Amino acid sequence: MSKKVILIMTDTTRTDMLSCYGNPAMDTPNLDRLAAGGIRFDQAYTTQPVCQPARSAIFTGSYPHSCAGWSNCMGLSDNVQNIGRRLQDQGVHSAYIGKWHLDGGDYFGLGRCPEGWDPDYWYDMRNYLEELSPEERYISRQAHTMETQDIPAEFTYGHRCSDRAIDFLQKHQDCEQDYFLVVSYDEPHDPCLCPREFWSKYEQVEFHRKKNLLDTLEGKPEHHRIWAGKDYLKAASPDFSMNFKYFLGCNSFVDYEIGRVLQAVEDYAEDGVVIYTSDHGDMLYSHSLTQKGPAMYEEITHIPLIIRGFGKGQANPNPVSHINLAPTIFDIFNLPVPKVFEGKSIYEELKTGRRTNEYVFMEFGRYEVDHDGFGGYQPIRCAFDGRHKLVINLMTSDEFYDLKEDPEEMDNRILDPALDREKRRLHKALLDNMYQTRDPFRGYYWENRPWNSYPEDRTWDSRRMTRQRENEDYEPRQLDYSTGLPMEAAVRKKGECTSQADSTHGEEQI
């Protein structure tokens, strides 16, 4: 029997925008049913709270810093293969429908199918816009038109993505070949276009007011206050409206569209594994901040993740990451997990519930290459263990939160000596991850912070290690600089012997 995996994504969906994550004011019946029939991960995290970087981790199996995906509008490195190509080369039919955002083009993409995906189903946002007249294109980018005219579902990008997904599922119902189908919606990302019936139900709804709307940002990094700007404590006013009718309406609309696809899965791929997630969230004025950007707050990093095909109606409390998805998908297809993948598979965790990750890691580089705004270059690295969160803001000051005692991250305890042991533990884990993954921004400045220091690494050569990529499936084995011979150990002390030939040659010279 062929194996089928369907990955469904939305854009800018917070966990508290789904009823099944504890907010009954949200109308998301289809995702709620998916959670009831699967496993809901209550501590799932993006690798970076920006569209392209988040997607780069999901679809390459590497952290954004490893695949040159650490900002919007950056093309991935030439020697980085997407998982569609890797799966296709292993005999898995791979199809991608929807927002891609990894080709280095503008927001809408280049309209060209990358290698590895079925070109008959490729449909990025540029393909959608090219179906529209100039007048329709303008309407598709203006939320206010929903007040003056009814927008039919058939006009929207989300509906057209669903149509293609349903077509794929129907035509491949009896296919003996394994397949991997991605359905990637832009919704509910602005401009939040949807039929009136979805947004009108939220006209009188106030999104829940979190305590961190009152965060004064005292003791927080300077760049948070600069980011807040004129919106500083704006939401703290009791008459400030937390009505986001278009955004929440579009959130319910994309749930409806996902429901159409899930029905097709029931009809044509009943035994398929379904994975749902979102790339990141939105601040919605928590901590006086809007949209997403250089911060590691829960509102933008903590994302929904639901997987159906294993347990039913379970809530998994363990920390997991988007970096775990690629190796998990390979395990589901019973394929060897490529060495170049930087996360661990959670396949066994899906079956047993046993925790896979001791830590999850997040980062930030830049929001977008094309834009001057959004704070510019803001190098950030973060480690989270399920309770404690350490954030190193290289250009400003650092943060440490105890989410059990302070779930809304109001109290930055980076200078609290009572938590020194926990801070140092996470600091070491974070540094080790940076070195293990060849983070190109690693260096002694991350080791030496005002609250903790590693003086032994404060040298020009740092840890004196060489780490070369192991990607032999798609490129020749890298050669050692000192000998020109193929390396045996990808990770080694700089200058040490790497092959038998190297050792023998050295002996002959003595």
Side-chain angles (χ1 to χ4, degrees):
M1 181 180 295
S2 62
K3 296 181 180 179
K4 307 172 180 66
V5 177
I6 301 94
L7 171 59
I8 300 172
M9 280 192 70
T10 52
D11 194 306
T12 320
T13 307
R14 293 166 40 144
T15 53
D16 55 5
M17 288 166 59
L18 274 62
S19 179
C20 62
Y21 275 93
N23 187 353
M26 300 294 99
D27 185 24
T28 52
N30 295 294
L31 288 172
D32 295 346
R33 279 195 291 272
L34 182 67
I39 300 173
R40 185 193 71 224
F41 287 83
D42 288 344
Q43 291 206 91
Y45 287 82
T46 185
T47 53
Q48 180 168 326
V50 180
C51 296
Q52 175 173 330
R55 293 161 190 273
S56 72
I58 296 171
F59 296 113
T60 73
S62 298
Y63 285 101
H65 65 248
S66 295
C67 61
W70 48 273
S71 172
N72 283 341
C73 298
M74 292 181 67
L76 301 181
S77 297
D78 288 344
N79 67 340
V80 172
Q81 283 74 37
N82 67 69
I83 60 173
R85 181 184 179 187
R86 289 184 179 276
L87 290 170
Q88 188 75 38
D89 290 348
Q90 295 288 330
V92 178
H93 184 188
S94 299
Y96 197 106
I97 301 166
K99 181 176 179 178
W100 176 238
H101 216 320
L102 291 176
D103 55 21
D106 62 20
Y107 184 82
F108 305 110
L110 299 175
R112 299 196 296 264
C113 181
E115 191 172 359
W117 304 101
D118 186 339
D120 290 339
Y121 286 93
W122 179 260
Y123 186 67
D124 70 7
M125 294 183 71
R126 189 175 186 92
N127 297 141
Y128 165 67
L129 290 175
E130 288 174 348
E131 294 175 343
L132 308 180
S133 69
E135 293 77 16
E136 289 173 327
R137 290 192 192 191
Y138 180 81
I139 290 172
S140 76
R141 306 305 299 166
Q142 308 299 318
H144 64 80
T145 59
M146 292 188 289
E147 297 282 0
T148 59
Q149 57 184 285
D150 291 329
I151 302 296
E154 293 76 12
F155 178 76
T156 66
Y157 183 54
H159 191 86
R160 299 187 190 195
C161 287
S162 297
D163 283 349
R164 282 164 172 75
I166 293 167
D167 180 76
F168 179 94
L169 291 163
Q170 183 177 18
K171 288 181 177 176
H172 292 81
Q173 61 179 312
D174 297 320
C175 182
E176 295 183 0
Q177 183 182 16
D178 294 347
Y179 69 67
F180 176 56
L181 172 65
V182 179
V183 190
S184 176
Y185 296 97
D186 183 52
E187 292 87 353
H189 192 290
D190 65 81
C192 312
L193 206 68
C194 66
R196 183 180 298 271
E197 65 183 279
F198 293 97
W199 63 263
S200 61
K201 69 179 70 175
Y202 291 100
E203 283 193 286
Q204 306 302 320
V205 174
E206 290 275 311
F207 197 65
H208 65 103
R209 293 179 176 271
K210 301 182 71 172
K211 293 179 181 178
N212 59 24
L213 294 176
L214 306 177
D215 189 355
T216 65
L217 299 180
E218 182 180 355
K220 299 296 183 71
E222 180 187 25
H223 73 275
H224 291 193
R225 293 188 289 275
I226 295 173
W227 179 0
K230 60 182 176 58
D231 288 327
Y232 178 63
L233 289 180
K234 180 177 180 179
S237 171
D239 59 355
F240 178 78
S241 174
M242 289 288 286
N243 177 262
F244 308 116
K245 61 181 180 180
Y246 297 150
F247 184 45
L248 299 181
C250 199
N251 184 57
S252 288
F253 172 60
V254 76
D255 177 86
Y256 161 78
E257 290 296 339
I258 290 171
R260 296 179 61 217
V261 174
L262 292 178
Q263 183 58 58
V265 172
E266 293 296 320
D267 293 340
Y268 309 122
E270 187 176 10
D271 58 342
V273 173
V274 179
I275 303 170
Y276 164 74
T277 193
S278 177
D279 52 358
H280 54 74
D282 190 296
M283 292 304 302
L284 296 181
Y285 293 97
S286 285
H287 308 283
S288 293
L289 306 178
T290 56
Q291 300 183 37
K292 67 270 188 184
M296 295 292 123
Y297 288 127
E298 291 287 286
E299 287 77 15
I300 53 177
T301 60
H302 183 192
I303 43 84
L305 175 64
I306 301 168
I307 300 180
R308 189 178 73 185
F310 299 89
K312 288 188 176 182
Q314 298 176 12
N316 183 305
N318 303 324
V320 296
S321 166
H322 278 160
I323 203 68
N324 298 123
L325 291 182
T328 303
I329 290 165
F330 272 68
D331 264 349
I332 292 171
F333 284 117
N334 196 29
L335 294 173
V337 176
K339 290 182 181 179
V340 77
F341 285 1
E342 293 173 337
K344 299 175 182 177
S345 170
I346 58 170
Y347 185 60
E348 290 302 318
E349 183 169 336
L350 287 168
K351 296 187 292 182
T352 67
R354 288 195 296 268
R355 179 169 174 166
T356 301
N357 299 313
E358 187 174 2
Y359 306 97
V360 296
F361 301 98
M362 293 165 271
E363 63 187 77
F364 197 91
R366 186 184 181 93
Y367 183 92
E368 187 159 334
V369 172
D370 289 356
H371 292 340
D372 292 334
F374 297 97
Y377 180 50
Q378 294 284 352
I380 302 172
R381 297 294 182 267
C382 172
F384 178 61
D385 66 1
R387 173 174 176 173
H388 299 101
K389 183 188 290 184
L390 171 66
V391 186
I392 298 184
N393 300 291
L394 195 60
M395 291 187 170
T396 54
S397 56
D398 302 333
E399 301 162 84
F400 192 83
Y401 301 103
D402 181 342
L403 268 65
K404 181 179 180 180
E405 301 296 329
D406 177 28
E408 298 200 19
E409 299 168 298
M410 297 279 280
D411 185 13
N412 179 13
R413 302 180 67 182
I414 193 63
L415 299 179
D416 186 347
L419 293 172
D420 279 353
R421 180 179 178 181
E422 302 300 334
K423 285 182 287 185
R424 288 169 180 159
R425 176 175 57 82
L426 267 72
H427 191 195
K428 183 180 185 303
L430 186 152
L431 296 172
D432 288 346
N433 179 260
M434 292 181 72
Y435 281 92
Q436 289 163 5
T437 62
R438 305 194 325 161
D439 189 327
F441 302 102
R442 67 190 184 275
Y444 65 85
Y445 27 84
W446 298 96
E447 274 94 339
N448 291 276
R449 309 307 293 167
W451 46 271
N452 193 36
S453 180
Y454 290 86
E456 64 274 15
D457 290 332
R458 193 170 187 175
T459 68
W460 198 243
D461 286 330
S462 192
R463 299 189 180 187
R464 299 195 71 250
M465 299 296 289
T466 291
R467 292 170 172 81
Q468 292 178 267
R469 187 177 298 277
E470 295 182 274
N471 190 29
E472 283 90 301
D473 293 340
Y474 292 93
E475 61 186 79
R477 191 160 182 81
Q478 295 190 357
L479 305 179
D480 181 67
Y481 177 81
S482 300
T483 67
L485 298 171
M487 65 180 181
E488 283 193 358
V491 180
R492 60 195 186 277
K493 286 285 186 181
K494 187 175 180 181
E496 72 180 10
C497 296
T498 65
S499 69
Q500 183 63 41
D502 185 20
S503 300
T504 302
H505 179 72
E507 292 171 0
E508 290 173 350
Q509 296 297 312
I510 294 175

